[in-house]
Amino acid sequence: MLEDKNKKRKIGNIPYIYPIPMALVGANVHGKPNFELVGDLGLMGIKPALVYISSGNTHYTNVGILENNTFSINFPRTDMLALAEHCGTVSGRDEDKSGLFEVFYGELQTAPLIQECPVNLECKVMKEFSIQHRQIFVAEVVQTYVDDSLVEEKNGNLIFAELAKFDPIIYTLGDRYYRIGKSISVGNNRKRRKTRS
Amino acid sequence: MLEDKNKKRKIGNIPYIYPIPMALVGANVHGKPNFELVGDLGLMGIKPALVYISSGNTHYTNVGILENNTFSINFPRTDMLALAEHCGTVSGRDEDKSGLFEVFYGELQTAPLIQECPVNLECKVMKEFSIQHRQIFVAEVVQTYVDDSLVEEKNGNLIFAELAKFDPIIYTLGDRYYRIGKSISVGNNRKRRKTRS
């Protein structure tokens, strides 16, 4: 019986990395903000702050990233899903998406940030490479913006609200979206980062 | 009032990419399976299947990845959190972690896969580079294994169970873990992948 319970099925070369946060990546293309919906992004390091995005090499957003060497990562709430999907369905070559959101700029001045998204990262490209039909942009985060209602400072430490209040859009393969669930209480995971495992 | 609601707070260069799935990355170091807990991993492409992991350049696991040019990504369930954290706290240099899990091998023969994890990816390194103190391994997925109870085939398509049944460990900054929440019904997001946004 135990054998059956743990029986594995080969499903082929499917990159079942799950679940992933969906983000709107912003770049100024020829001076105008453009946004694309991206799931292929993530962390490469916390200190220093290192992130990446992977974008098909024909994508319009890439033009702007290469132009300015900057981009933004903006996390929409689940109630922005339809608009986020629109950004992923229509190319900036065919539609001006600059008016879809209230845009603000930060320290880099060329990375368009979305006011309506609770979290925004301003990113400066450190390395770019192509692999297969993808263009990978590895970037340092120069500044991060969070809705004031979702973070507070206590004794010099930042305390973030529960993720359910951010209400991020979570994606998994099979074209399904999820909300975040409940938090899990844990032990001493603070030690984790110090390891050389 | 609206202005207050959307007021942003600068929190510095914090890579607030959230939420992220936690995985156990496996590699054979000098012929013995070793596992490290990693949050800095993700998708770079779906077709072809492209993923990456980022690992501190002193990590023991890296030795094995460079030795064989292969590694595995294994997603533990939330009930494996204590064991997963243990893998992230103790280095393979100090403790033999090969007996912590039931290990199996697939097509690459050198990437140790964890039987107890519901999803396992066998990865072959395509590109490696160093940036800051991180070593980045970009890899193709050659085979993916899913617990038989979590996937079925219908008319030639793979149908995956709800993510709650996989019960992955989700991490966010501030050392907090979460469970996956409810699924969100959506429109025609299938179009999304065809765009050049």
Side-chain angles (χ1 to χ4, degrees), chain A:
Chain A
M1 284 301 279
L2 257 177
E3 261 181 1
D4 280 332
K5 191 186 163 198
N6 281 336
K7 201 180 154 197
K8 297 283 182 183
R9 182 182 203 126
K10 287 189 192 183
I11 60 168
N13 58 340
I14 294 177
Y16 201 172
I17 300 268
Y18 68 91
I20 52 173
M22 292 302 280
L24 289 163
V25 167
N28 271 6
V29 187
H30 310 319
K32 231 179 212 178
N34 187 62
F35 299 98
E36 70 167 328
L37 186 62
V38 173
D40 308 9
L41 58 79
L43 267 180
M44 285 189 165
I46 294 179
K47 276 186 187 182
L50 197 66
V51 299
Y52 82 100
I53 65 158
S54 167
S55 187
N57 59 16
T58 59
H59 284 204
Y60 190 61
T61 308
N62 303 19
V63 177
I65 297 176
L66 290 168
E67 200 180 323
N68 303 295
N69 237 26
T70 63
F71 62 88
S72 69
I73 297 175
N74 308 272
F75 290 99
R77 296 173 193 279
T78 63
D79 63 6
M80 296 172 69
L81 181 55
L83 201 52
E85 285 208 316
H86 178 74
C87 287
T89 311
V90 178
S91 171
R93 286 196 180 86
D94 303 321
E95 185 187 302
D96 178 356
K97 293 187 252 183
S98 65
L100 293 178
F101 307 100
E102 188 182 332
V103 171
F104 70 102
Y105 290 90
E107 297 172 20
L108 296 172
Q109 298 186 357
T110 52
L113 300 151
I114 298 176
Q115 181 70 38
E116 293 89 336
C117 290
V119 176
N120 319 91
L121 279 64
E122 263 194 295
C123 305
K124 189 176 174 186
V125 177
M126 290 183 71
K127 182 182 175 73
E128 177 267 328
F129 63 93
S130 291
I131 188 164
Q132 294 162 348
H133 66 288
R134 320 287 306 185
Q135 209 158 5
I136 315 291
F137 299 98
V138 179
E140 66 170 301
V141 179
V142 300
Q143 188 57 266
T144 303
Y145 304 81
V146 175
D147 277 6
D148 204 41
S149 57
L150 297 172
V151 61
E152 56 178 329
E153 212 175 310
K154 265 189 190 163
N155 307 322
N157 294 316
L158 291 169
I159 312 289
F160 295 96
E162 286 288 303
L163 268 188
K165 286 194 183 166
F166 287 85
D167 198 16
I169 301 171
I170 301 176
Y171 181 76
T172 186
L173 288 184
D175 282 342
R176 281 188 291 183
Y177 293 103
Y178 285 85
R179 290 180 202 282
I180 192 69
K182 293 193 172 146
S183 65
I184 308 170
S185 61
V186 286
N188 57 346
N189 51 315
R190 220 153 252 127
K191 269 198 276 175
R192 196 172 45 73
R193 290 206 196 117
K194 291 176 194 154
T195 187
R196 288 150 197 266
S197 46

